[in-house]
Amino acid sequence: MITARRISYCTLASAIRFLLMNSEFQKIISERVEVSTALNSWKRVTEGVYLRTFGIDPYIGDLFHETPLGLWVFTFMHQCMSSWGLKCLFVITDLLTAWLLFATAKYYIIELAKREEENKKNTDDNEVSYTPIATIAKTSVLYVPAAYLFNPYIVLNCVAQTTTVFTNFLYAAILYSMIRRLRIVSCVLISLVTLQNLYPLSLIVPTIIYIVQDKKKAERVTSIIFMIILFSSVLSFMVYISYLINGSWSFLDNTIGFILVVPDLHPNIGLYWYFFTEMFEHFRWLFIASFQINVGILYIIPLAFRLRRDPMLLAFAYLSIIAIFKSYPSIGDVGFYMALLPLWQHLFQHMQQGFIVGCFMLFCTVFAPTVWHQWIYSRSANANFYFGVTLAFAIAQIFLLTDILFASIKRELALRHGLPKEIDGKKAKLILE
């Protein structure tokens, strides 16, 4: 039954993607600023491949921002695959990502249920209000791939054929290798995605925590040092391979430098473009440092200390922060971490902002193209209107992240001390005012 349901999911998801890819809407979707950015646009990839084919350095100018390793792979894809074959590749990659998320959810829910059974021994005898993980395990495991395959953000991301499709596949592979405690595979995958997008460097923290948490104290330090050295070595090796492929270090300015310095201020769903358009030039480096510290450094240590007992939730928090605050975000980044939400279905009853967040995200998703049309085509609006929508979208995501983290703390409190369902002898009710 479950297998038949999975097959039907994949068939329907593939059909939706192929229909949109072969419709007149494909070009419109691929040109949307919410979907394609300077970093993930397939049009830019194609132009970079043609420049390389004709012997021109694609990193001269401000056009191509993929790594030389990515350029080598994309060149091979263009030479060996037809247009139809490329479309199939994007759809298959999405299906593989969903399968990896399904496998990750299955192992993670099993571990959570086992940990909850062990923690029940320390629970007080008070009546508690929480949803046992074992009762929702099957639905959570199925909802994760469904939330990925049928998420409108992910569907549009695949239809536009952005390179975020492959980034999401790498993210899913990292989560799977982390839950399976595959040290070498995890380090290689994190190195690859770090070379491509820089910010996922933070994923090494939950990976290390997950792998060493079951080891003895004497072995933990050795394992941590080993993984840090392995990760650094693999990343350095990939950078050197990129240098050999390109023949120079010019790619650093248009990859890592492009992400850090943010020279391209075309509108997107992020916060950088409007802020730095309005910023006085002599303040630019100060605020670039502030923005980059916010997304890359500020939250790593505090969240690692607080969520060290649940590294998967920690990884989710890092992915959410990256999607919200990175310099060139797209809805494909947002869709990936949203697909992970069913993993914490047992936390939903402790969340308080779900309705507000849902309304905000729906409003922003519908209103952003409308305001864009008024600004660019009708000229009845300006950049302030569009930035207002992207700012509201970012705030909604922040509310979602903080709500689920607070829900985790509330449930932990319920498991340890019990949350009484009665107040002053009467049954408690939660009323939204």
Side-chain angles (χ1 to χ4, degrees):
M1 180 66 181
I2 295 178
T3 303
R5 185 178 298 179
R6 273 186 271 168
I7 294 174
S8 63
Y9 281 172
C10 294
T11 303
L12 180 58
S14 301
I16 293 172
R17 285 162 169 78
F18 277 123
L19 285 174
L20 288 174
M21 281 181 173
N22 292 281
S23 70
E24 60 184 3
F25 299 108
Q26 196 278 333
K27 184 178 180 181
I28 299 174
I29 294 171
S30 64
E31 293 176 352
R32 291 300 312 170
V33 294
E34 300 88 1
V35 181
S36 297
T37 68
L39 287 179
N40 69 356
S41 171
W42 187 250
K43 181 179 180 181
R44 292 188 179 230
V45 168
T46 302
E47 292 176 353
V49 168
Y50 278 114
L51 287 175
R52 183 174 185 267
T53 303
F54 288 104
I56 303 172
D57 185 358
Y59 298 104
I60 296 176
D62 192 26
L63 175 67
F64 186 75
H65 306 290
E66 293 289 337
T67 63
L69 279 173
L71 177 60
W72 180 79
V73 173
F74 294 138
T75 302
F76 176 79
M77 290 165 53
H78 272 276
Q79 292 176 349
C80 300
M81 303 180 72
S82 62
S83 175
W84 179 256
L86 284 173
K87 293 177 181 178
C88 291
L89 178 63
F90 278 95
V91 174
I92 291 172
T93 303
D94 252 8
L95 295 179
L96 290 175
T97 303
W99 182 86
L100 285 172
L101 291 178
F102 169 79
T104 301
K106 182 174 67 174
Y107 287 109
Y108 177 65
I109 292 297
I110 291 173
E111 288 193 7
L112 275 185
K114 186 185 299 183
R115 190 188 312 161
E116 184 179 79
E117 289 297 323
E118 295 175 354
N119 291 337
K120 279 184 179 180
K121 300 175 183 178
N122 302 323
T123 303
D124 295 340
D125 294 332
N126 300 334
E127 185 180 7
V128 297
S129 58
Y130 66 88
T131 304
I133 295 175
T135 62
I136 59 172
K138 291 184 179 179
T139 55
S140 295
V141 170
L142 287 176
Y143 286 164
V144 170
Y148 184 84
L149 290 174
F150 300 106
N151 189 319
Y153 296 158
I154 296 297
V155 173
L156 294 176
N157 181 64
C158 182
V159 171
Q161 296 179 229
T162 68
T163 58
T164 305
V165 172
F166 305 114
T167 302
N168 288 344
F169 173 75
L170 291 176
Y171 281 151
I174 289 170
L175 297 179
Y176 178 76
S177 61
M178 182 175 73
I179 199 74
R180 299 296 290 163
R181 293 171 173 81
L182 304 174
R183 295 190 298 177
I184 298 177
V185 177
S186 297
C187 289
V188 171
L189 291 172
I190 297 174
S191 299
L192 187 60
V193 77
T194 299
L195 181 64
Q196 182 182 15
N197 291 311
L198 185 62
Y199 301 116
L201 172 69
S202 59
L203 293 178
I204 194 65
V205 177
T207 303
I208 290 176
I209 294 175
Y210 218 118
I211 290 175
V212 305
Q213 66 180 355
D214 294 333
K215 294 183 179 294
K216 298 178 181 179
K217 290 185 178 181
E219 299 176 353
R220 289 182 180 178
V221 176
T222 304
S223 298
I224 292 173
I225 294 174
F226 172 78
M227 289 197 65
I228 292 175
I229 293 175
L230 178 62
F231 169 73
S232 303
S233 301
V234 173
L235 181 59
S236 301
F237 178 73
M238 287 184 177
V239 171
Y240 182 68
I241 291 296
S242 298
Y243 163 74
L244 294 180
I245 293 174
N246 191 57
S248 69
W249 296 103
S250 62
F251 71 94
L252 291 176
D253 288 336
N254 266 345
T255 53
I256 296 176
F258 186 80
I259 294 171
L260 289 175
V261 180
V262 199
D264 191 322
L265 299 179
H266 282 84
N268 53 56
I269 63 170
L271 305 176
Y272 287 69
W273 66 273
Y274 182 87
F275 193 88
F276 289 109
T277 299
E278 300 294 329
M279 176 59 55
F280 291 111
E281 189 64 27
H282 53 278
F283 289 125
R284 180 179 176 85
W285 288 105
L286 172 64
F287 284 94
I288 280 181
S290 301
F291 273 62
Q292 299 296 355
I293 289 172
N294 178 68
V295 62
I297 300 175
L298 189 61
Y299 305 103
I300 292 180
I301 295 178
L303 286 176
F305 273 108
R306 185 61 190 87
L307 302 176
R308 63 187 181 277
R309 295 185 182 88
D310 194 350
M312 186 61 71
L313 183 58
L314 177 61
F316 167 81
Y318 287 159
L319 289 171
S320 304
I321 291 170
I322 291 170
I324 298 169
F325 296 114
K326 67 187 292 188
S327 51
Y328 298 99
S330 69
I331 58 173
D333 303 306
V334 178
F336 180 82
Y337 81 77
M338 288 183 64
L340 298 175
L341 286 174
L343 285 175
W344 297 281
Q345 187 181 352
H346 55 281
L347 300 179
F348 288 173
Q349 70 176 22
H350 300 289
M351 297 175 67
Q352 296 180 338
Q353 310 294 339
F355 177 75
I356 297 174
V357 169
C359 290
F360 258 79
M361 297 196 77
L362 179 61
F363 166 80
C364 294
T365 302
V366 174
F367 205 54
T370 305
V371 175
W372 177 266
H373 181 83
Q374 290 179 328
W375 174 26
I376 301 299
Y377 299 102
S378 299
R379 297 183 181 180
S380 58
N382 55 40
N384 297 324
F385 289 75
Y386 190 76
F387 178 69
V389 175
T390 61
L391 182 61
F393 191 64
I395 291 172
Q397 294 179 76
I398 294 170
F399 274 33
L400 175 62
L401 176 59
T402 54
D403 200 19
I404 198 167
L405 294 182
F406 277 120
S408 175
I409 296 173
K410 292 176 185 176
R411 190 172 190 277
E412 185 178 335
L413 182 65
L415 290 171
R416 288 186 178 181
H417 306 293
L419 294 178
K421 293 182 179 179
E422 294 185 355
I423 299 177
D424 297 331
K426 298 180 180 180
K427 188 174 181 180
K429 293 182 180 180
L430 180 63
I431 301 176
L432 181 64
E433 295 183 351

